Amino acid sequence: MSNSLLLILTRNPELGKCKTRLAATVGDRAALEIYQFLLQHTVSLTKHLKVEKWVYYSEEIWEDDMWDNAHYQKKLQIGKDLGERMQNAFKEGFQAGFEKVIIIGSDMYNLAQTDLEEAFSKLETHDYVVGPAEDGGYYLLGMKSLNEALFRDKEWGTDTVLADTLQDLKTARVGLLPERNDIDYYEDIKDIKAFAPFIKHIKQ
């Protein structure tokens, strides 16, 4: 799948700068540890995927971290909002000659390598692939040519993003993946066993 590219948007895991909505309940230290756990999970579900992989850092590129330079090409996000940063990442991928480009974040616990393989497979027969998130956004977006309209006029971080995106794609062939939940709030993790060690200090 050398014509396929996976873009991974990530935040540099620094105290007080990641998972701020989650940190409001669990504290900055626990939020950082949870985000590092989610990053490791994202590494585990992407490193064996037989596509090219680019990691886009939010602040600065870290050469010596969990993203192995042998498996991931490292880049810096460019843009004033999420839409612009995603658009620029897609643009760079298509300019490099890739024919199928998919973007994900790095805070999905409920995601597996097979989900990403299915997403690339859907682009064989569809123009776009979308992974709907329970909060009204999406956790995955893929396409075969750059559509800049998808990154304009969106209220990023709100529950209208998915609906507005699908409206933009109403005349296209869109493959939908199963709905998944991303990790933004304490309520998203409080009943998941894997997160229990990180939140035992606030368990009732």
Side-chain angles (χ1 to χ4, degrees):
M1 297 175 74
S2 59
N3 69 338
S4 301
L5 172 65
L6 179 68
L7 308 169
I8 305 167
L9 290 191
T10 180
R11 281 190 175 277
N12 292 77
E14 297 179 283
L15 188 66
K17 295 184 179 180
C18 53
K19 290 285 146 209
T20 52
R21 290 176 289 186
L22 178 62
T25 304
V26 305
D28 286 343
R29 173 59 61 184
L32 174 59
E33 291 173 354
I34 289 166
Y35 188 52
Q36 289 171 325
F37 171 76
L38 289 168
L39 288 175
Q40 288 284 6
H41 177 68
T42 307
V43 170
S44 71
L45 69 95
T46 59
K47 67 181 176 182
H48 299 301
L49 197 66
K50 295 187 183 335
V51 301
E52 289 293 312
K53 295 174 279 280
W54 294 356
V55 177
Y56 278 84
Y57 291 74
S58 59
E59 308 298 329
E60 60 181 355
I61 294 172
W62 290 358
E63 292 298 343
D64 186 21
D65 63 1
M66 67 184 72
W67 302 99
D68 186 339
N69 293 305
H71 294 106
Y72 301 92
Q73 190 168 332
K74 299 181 175 183
K75 296 176 177 288
L76 195 61
Q77 296 176 31
I78 299 172
K80 64 182 185 297
D81 63 16
L82 177 61
E84 207 170 278
R85 294 194 294 271
M86 287 196 293
Q87 176 179 307
N88 286 331
F90 270 105
K91 186 175 183 179
E92 192 171 3
F94 286 120
Q95 286 178 340
F98 291 98
E99 297 172 9
K100 298 178 194 161
V101 183
I102 286 175
I103 198 166
I104 61 171
S106 47
D107 56 359
M108 291 294 300
Y109 177 68
N110 195 14
L111 196 64
Q113 179 177 326
T114 50
D115 295 313
L116 299 179
E117 290 168 345
E118 180 185 356
F120 279 107
S121 179
K122 282 186 180 296
L123 285 178
E124 297 284 346
T125 53
H126 298 81
D127 302 312
Y128 301 89
V129 60
V130 177
E134 290 180 10
D135 62 6
Y138 55 76
Y139 61 86
L140 179 150
L141 176 67
M143 62 190 78
K144 293 192 283 195
S145 61
L146 182 61
N147 182 348
E148 296 187 355
L150 301 183
F151 307 109
R152 292 197 297 264
D153 305 318
K154 304 291 185 297
E155 294 288 334
W156 301 108
T158 72
D159 60 6
T160 62
V161 171
L162 176 65
D164 289 345
T165 301
L166 293 177
Q167 178 65 23
D168 289 338
L169 298 175
K170 63 181 185 295
T171 61
R173 293 177 300 171
V174 181
L176 288 176
L177 296 172
E179 188 176 77
R180 296 272 189 262
N181 187 33
D182 50 11
I183 305 297
D184 288 318
Y185 296 98
Y186 172 67
E187 288 69 29
D188 298 326
I189 62 170
K190 65 184 180 66
D191 297 321
I192 300 176
K193 188 175 181 181
F195 293 99
F198 304 111
I199 57 176
K200 57 181 183 291
H201 62 295
I202 56 172
K203 279 291 189 183
Q204 300 300 315

